[in-house]
Amino acid sequence: MDHVRTTCSLCEASCGAVMTVEDGRILKVAADREDALSGGFICAKGAAIPDLEADPDRVRTPLLRKNGELMPVSWEEAYAFIDDRLSAILAEHGPQATSVYVGNAAAHNLNIITYFEDLAKALGTTNLFTAASLDQNPRQVMSGLLYGDEFALYVPDIDRSQLVWIMGANPAESNGSMMVAPGFLGRMQKMHERGGRTVVFDPRHTMTASRASEYVPITPSGDAAFLAGVAHTLLKLGPPKTTALSLVDDVATIEEWLAPFTPEAVAEACGIDAETIVRLATELRETEAAAVYGRLGTTTQLFSSLTCWLMDMVNIFAGNLDVIGGSMFPKPLLAQPNTIGPSGVGAGFTVGKWKSRVSGAPEVVGQMPMACMAEEMDTPGEGQIRALFCMAGNPITASPDTQRMAAAIDGLDLLVCLDIYQGETASKADVVLPSPPRLARANYDAYLYRFTVRNYGRYTQQYRPLETHERSDRETLLRLMAIAQGHGWDADIDALEDATLAATVEAMTQVPESAIEGRDPADIMTALRALQPIERRMDFGLRIGPFGDGFGSREGISLQTLKDSPQGVDCGPLVSRLPESLRTTSGRIEAVHDIIGAELNRLTRWLGETRPRFTLIGRRQLRSNNSWFHNLKRMQHPTRECTAQINPLDAAKLGVTSGDLLRVSTPKAAIDIPAEVSDTLSPGVVSIPHGWGHEMLDGKLNVASANPGVNVNRIVNYDDVDPLTWNGRLNGMPVDIAKLETN
C-alpha cells in the first residue's frame, strides 16, 4: 500500500491531496496537511476521486462508430480512421472546415492545456472555441485592454486583506473561480478573526453570504449600476495616491463618463439604496488592504465587460489595486507574457483580429466565441465547419441553445472526442479517445496557477507506467497534429515536437531581457533533451519563468525542484507588480476605450427601463462541478438537486409549493422543472443550476441517466451577447414562470 502525493485537480482550488493506492487502485483520497497552499483542506469532490477512477461507465479504450454504434477498437485503427476522414475533409473543403473545442476540464490537464492551441495551428483553422467564452472572456478581455495581457488577472490578497467584496461569486461552494484559494472559508474566517470583514453582493443568499460579515442583495445584472455609483462616489471622495492611479491614462475622461451615475441615479436599478452605496464606498476607501472580487455572476450577465471594467476602476479609485492586502497580480512560476521580455511595455491587446464567417463575431483572446459555434457548423457555404475535435468538454450540455448545438453536431462529417465518458457530446462522436487514469499521468495545474493567492506550484509525477491499452494525452494530441499536417498518424512525434521546441528556444534567446537572452540555443536544447520528451516544455517554462534558474544563469527553480518538493513549491506571497507587469503599448493602464463609453450609455438607458417580473440566475453546487460527477453515487446529495428555487412571496402568488412542477420559459423555449421554495432568493429571482439534462444519454451513464435533471440551456439563446466579447448572457435573463397543474 502506497501513499501518493497529488493534486485534486477537480476544481480551481487545486488542493494538495494524498492518495492511498493498493494494487493499482485508489482506495482513498485525503487532504495533504503539508501542502504549501491548501494546508490540509480538501472538499467532497476530492474524496470522490476513487469512484471517478473506478467508474464502470468510464471510457478506457478507443471507441469507433461502426454500424451506428461506438465499439472498442485499437488505437491504431482509431488513428487510421481519423487520418482517412480528416484528409478527405481537408482536401475537399480546406482547413477552415475544421474546428477545435476545449472544455473547462482541460484546465486541470497539463497535456491538453499545453497542446490544444498547437492542434488548431496544425489544422490551420481559426475555428478554436473554448468554454472561456461561456463564462470568463469579459474578465480576460478587460485585463488585456487595461494591462496589455489577458492573463493579467488580479485576485484578492485574502490572507492579508481587511475587507473583501465578493460579487456574483460563491467561493464557499465553488472553492474559488479564477482564484486559487483552497479552503476559502477558512481564509475568510481568519480574516474575520483579525478584525477584517467580507461583504457579499448577490441576488441569492449563498453559503458564502451566510458566513460573510454583511450580505447585500442586488438586482440581477445590477452590478454595473452599483459599481458605477461606487466609482462615482470614490471620485468625489478623492482617490488615494497610488502607483496604479498614477498609471491610468485619462482619469478626467473617466470622471466625465461616471458623472451621471450618482448613488441616487443607480439605486433603484441595482436594488441598493443611495445611503448604503455611499457607506460601502466610503468603507472600501478608508479600509487599508481591501479588495473587490467578482466572478460568474459578473461575467455572464447583461453588462459583463462593463462590470469588469468598473471593478477595476473601483479597485483603483479606492486605492486597492496592486497593494498588499488588496487586489494583486500573481506571478506564476511558469513563464507568462507579462513575466518575460521587456517589463512595463509590450505589444498591447486587441479584439477582433479576425471575424466569424456567418455573423462576423470577433476573435477574442485568439479564439472564436461559443455564440457562433453552432451556426458555423449548420450554415452551408464555403468555410462551413465539417470536422470538430472536442477535448475535455461537452458543448451540447454546456452551451446555450442546446437543441441547435446538438443538431449541428449531428451534421458533422467527423467528430473526435477526447473524453473519459460518453456524455451528451461524446455519445455522438465518430471516435472517442480516452485520457489515461490519473495514476498514469503527471500533472501541473499550469492554467490555474496564473491566479493563485500565493506564488505557488505543485507537480504530480506519474505514479505508474501506461498500460498497453493506454496512451498519454500528449501522444494523442501530437498524433492528431501529425495527421493534420499530413505526416500520418504513425509519424515520429517526438522528432516533430523536438523541432517545434527548438524553434521556440531559439526565438526566446533573441528576446531582450529574457532569462536566456543571447544564449546558444543548442546548449539549452542539450539540457532539455536530457529529460523525457513529456517533461521538456514544462522544464523550459519553469526555468525561463520569474523564479527559474535561467538554465544556470541565476539561482532559481527547475522541474527537478518541483519533483523534489511533492508538497508544492511556495515562492512567497503576492508582491506589487506595477508598472513592471504592464504590456500595453503606452506603458500605462489604458482604461479609456470607445466601447466603454458606449456601454455606459447603454447602462444609462437601462436604468430607466422596466424590470421583468422574473429573472433567471444560476446556482453553484459543491457536489456538481458543471456536468462533472453526475455519474457518481457518492455525489448524489440533497444539496445538488436540479430544482428551480423561488422566493416564498413569489411562490405564494403563484400558488406554488416545493415539489410542484414549474414551467420556466423564454421566447426561445420552455422547460418543466420541480420548484423549491427558498428564502435565499430575492423576490422576482429564480435560480436553476447549470450542467444538468442527461435525458439524451439513453443509459450510457447509469447514474446520470437515472438522475437526468433539466438542462437550463434549452431556454437560453445567443440572441443577447456582450457587445465586446460575444459572451452569452447566462445570468439575469428575463423568464416567465407558471405552475403546471397535475391531474
Side-chain angles (χ1 to χ4, degrees):
M1 186 177 294
D2 291 334
H3 298 285
V4 181
R5 277 200 162 115
T6 185
T7 304
C8 174
S9 295
L10 290 176
C11 76
E12 295 185 41
S14 297
C15 298
V18 177
M19 298 185 302
T20 301
V21 179
E22 185 175 46
D23 297 330
R25 295 183 301 114
I26 303 173
L27 303 180
K28 179 183 177 183
V29 175
D32 186 348
R33 299 188 180 281
E34 297 181 22
D35 181 77
L37 184 64
S38 59
F41 175 83
I42 201 167
C43 79
K45 291 192 287 290
I49 287 175
D51 296 25
L52 180 66
E53 293 297 303
D55 191 343
D57 291 332
R58 183 166 171 153
V59 179
R60 300 186 185 278
T61 61
L63 303 176
L64 176 63
R65 189 167 299 279
K66 296 183 176 182
N67 299 319
E69 296 292 330
L70 285 169
M71 306 295 294
V73 296
S74 67
W75 286 91
E76 292 77 10
E77 185 176 353
Y79 288 140
F81 174 88
I82 296 169
D83 200 340
D84 289 344
R85 183 71 63 87
L86 180 62
S87 297
I89 292 171
L90 289 171
E92 183 175 356
H93 302 291
Q96 277 300 103
T98 66
S99 62
V100 174
Y101 172 78
V102 183
N104 68 0
H108 312 282
N109 184 308
L110 175 61
N111 286 333
I112 296 179
I113 209 70
T114 298
Y115 293 98
F116 78 86
E117 290 180 303
D118 291 349
L119 175 58
K121 291 175 183 176
L123 289 165
T125 183
T126 59
N127 293 317
L128 171 60
F129 304 90
T130 78
S133 65
L134 293 172
D135 65 12
Q136 72 185 51
N137 271 354
R139 177 63 271 166
Q140 288 192 251
V141 167
M142 207 46 59
S143 289
L145 291 176
L146 267 66
Y147 313 115
D149 176 15
E150 67 265 30
F151 286 110
L153 302 168
Y154 56 75
V155 296
D157 185 18
I158 188 169
D159 294 338
R160 296 180 290 184
S161 294
Q162 287 299 109
L163 174 62
V164 176
W165 285 7
I166 301 171
M167 304 190 68
N170 184 13
E173 294 189 83
S174 71
N175 286 310
S177 180
M178 297 188 80
M179 171 183 65
V180 178
F184 182 87
L185 281 179
R187 295 174 189 272
M188 190 168 83
Q189 179 61 33
K190 288 180 180 179
M191 183 171 64
H192 293 169
E193 291 171 357
R194 60 178 180 263
R197 300 178 67 249
T198 48
V199 183
V200 170
F201 302 84
D202 205 293
R204 177 172 168 261
H205 194 275
T206 62
M207 181 187 292
T208 306
S210 69
R211 306 290 185 90
S213 309
E214 182 176 359
Y215 167 60
V216 181
I218 191 169
T219 301
S221 290
D223 307 78
F226 167 70
L227 288 167
V230 171
H232 173 100
T233 303
L234 292 170
L235 286 167
K236 290 294 184 185
L237 292 171
K241 305 299 182 183
T242 62
T243 298
L245 180 67
S246 72
L247 290 167
V248 175
D249 55 354
D250 189 350
V251 174
T253 294
I254 298 170
E255 194 164 9
E256 180 181 344
W257 279 350
L258 295 175
F261 297 97
T262 64
E264 293 76 15
V266 303
E268 184 177 356
C270 69
I272 304 172
D273 64 78
E275 182 179 344
T276 300
I277 292 173
V278 173
R279 172 181 64 82
L280 290 166
T282 303
E283 291 173 355
L284 191 70
R285 184 190 183 282
E286 293 181 353
T287 302
E288 291 189 12
V292 177
Y293 164 70
R295 191 51 194 105
L296 213 63
T298 65
T299 56
T300 59
Q301 52 149 294
L302 185 60
F303 297 101
S304 297
S305 291
L306 179 60
T307 298
C308 293
W309 181 84
L310 284 163
M311 275 192 286
D312 287 71
M313 296 306 103
V314 167
N315 273 313
I316 291 170
F317 296 149
N320 297 320
L321 184 67
D322 198 48
V323 299
I324 292 174
S327 295
M328 304 191 74
F329 299 98
K331 185 179 286 189
L333 277 59
L334 276 174
Q336 305 293 318
N338 69 8
T339 61
I340 55 178
S343 62
V345 68
F349 175 87
T350 58
V351 169
K353 291 187 283 290
W354 57 85
K355 306 282 187 179
S356 70
R357 176 181 63 102
V358 179
S359 294
E363 164 275 335
V364 179
V365 297
Q367 304 159 16
M368 297 309 301
M370 285 293 293
C372 69
M373 183 175 172
E375 68 183 19
E376 290 294 320
M377 291 189 288
D378 66 17
T379 304
E382 184 179 353
Q384 178 184 1
I385 293 175
R386 298 171 185 273
L388 171 63
F389 292 84
C390 183
M391 291 179 282
N394 189 4
I396 289 178
T397 297
S399 304
D401 205 346
T402 297
Q403 303 93 310
R404 183 175 186 180
M405 181 66 74
I409 285 176
D410 277 336
L412 293 170
D413 295 333
L414 175 64
L415 173 60
V416 178
C417 290
L418 178 57
D419 211 315
I420 63 172
Y421 281 123
Q422 288 189 62
E424 286 77 8
T425 304
S427 64
K428 294 176 175 289
D430 296 292
V431 182
V432 180
L433 303 173
S435 289
R438 67 175 47 233
L439 291 175
R441 61 183 175 92
N443 198 46
Y444 180 85
D445 283 345
Y447 182 83
L448 302 177
Y449 292 153
R450 289 164 163 154
F451 27 86
T452 52
V453 295
R454 291 182 66 87
N455 296 317
Y456 160 95
R458 177 169 175 151
Y459 183 72
T460 299
Q461 296 191 65
Q462 185 173 331
Y463 172 74
R464 67 161 176 81
L466 292 163
E467 296 182 2
T468 55
H469 66 282
E470 297 169 342
R471 299 291 184 274
S472 71
D473 292 321
R474 169 188 173 271
E475 177 179 341
T476 299
L477 288 168
L478 285 172
R479 294 213 179 279
L480 293 178
M481 282 184 258
I483 291 170
Q485 293 171 327
H487 300 298
W489 69 265
D490 55 352
D492 184 345
I493 56 174
D494 290 342
L496 292 173
E497 184 180 26
D498 187 80
T500 300
L501 181 58
T504 302
V505 169
E506 183 172 6
M508 190 56 60
T509 62
Q510 299 173 32
V511 173
E513 300 181 31
S514 80
I516 56 173
E517 179 188 3
R519 297 280 294 276
D520 185 347
D523 292 342
I524 305 297
M525 285 303 299
T526 297
L528 292 173
R529 286 177 181 132
L531 304 173
Q532 293 296 316
I534 200 167
E535 298 179 334
R536 293 171 187 170
R537 287 200 191 192
M538 180 76 184
D539 189 55
F540 180 65
L542 288 168
R543 298 180 76 172
I544 67 168
F547 303 101
D549 69 357
F551 289 88
S553 65
R554 62 194 185 195
E555 292 292 324
I557 66 171
S558 65
L559 180 58
Q560 189 60 49
T561 310
L562 271 66
K563 288 181 175 180
D564 293 340
S565 306
Q567 75 282 2
V569 172
D570 185 349
C571 291
L574 306 183
V575 297
S576 297
R577 296 195 58 203
L578 291 175
E580 162 265 322
S581 63
L582 293 177
R583 291 299 183 270
T584 54
T585 56
S586 66
R588 298 179 65 81
I589 296 175
E590 297 178 356
V592 175
H593 299 272
D594 291 343
I595 184 65
I596 300 301
E599 283 294 271
L600 286 167
N601 288 336
R602 186 164 71 98
L603 177 61
T604 299
R605 295 191 296 272
W606 183 80
L607 295 180
E609 293 178 3
T610 301
R611 300 291 164 253
R613 183 183 179 191
F614 291 109
T615 307
L616 176 68
I617 64 170
R619 183 160 85 247
R620 172 68 78 169
Q621 297 171 310
L622 177 63
R623 291 171 174 81
S624 173
N625 195 11
N626 295 332
S627 61
W628 296 15
F629 281 41
H630 287 187
N631 205 53
L632 303 180
K633 290 183 179 179
R634 190 185 301 212
M635 292 293 100
Q636 301 298 311
H637 192 275
T639 61
R640 57 155 254 178
E641 291 180 346
C642 185
T643 60
Q645 289 186 343
I646 185 173
N647 178 273
L649 295 176
D650 295 324
K653 292 177 183 177
L654 294 169
V656 169
T657 60
S658 291
D660 289 343
L661 204 59
L662 293 180
R663 175 155 291 171
V664 183
S665 60
T666 65
K668 167 66 183 172
I671 55 174
D672 298 337
I673 184 170
E676 180 184 348
V677 180
S678 173
D679 59 7
T680 63
L681 270 293
S682 299
V685 179
V686 59
S687 174
I688 300 176
H690 172 83
W692 292 82
H694 306 303
E695 65 277 358
M696 68 174 64
L697 289 177
D698 192 27
K700 292 183 177 66
L701 302 182
N702 291 318
V703 177
S705 296
N707 302 273
V710 178
N711 190 346
V712 69
N713 281 328
R714 293 180 67 87
I715 62 173
V716 180
N717 205 343
Y718 275 127
D719 293 340
D720 195 359
V721 295
D722 178 63
L724 177 59
T725 65
W726 274 58
N727 226 71
R729 182 181 177 185
L730 308 181
N731 276 293
M733 183 178 61
V735 294
D736 292 323
I737 301 177
K739 178 183 176 181
L740 287 183
E741 299 297 335
T742 56
N743 295 328

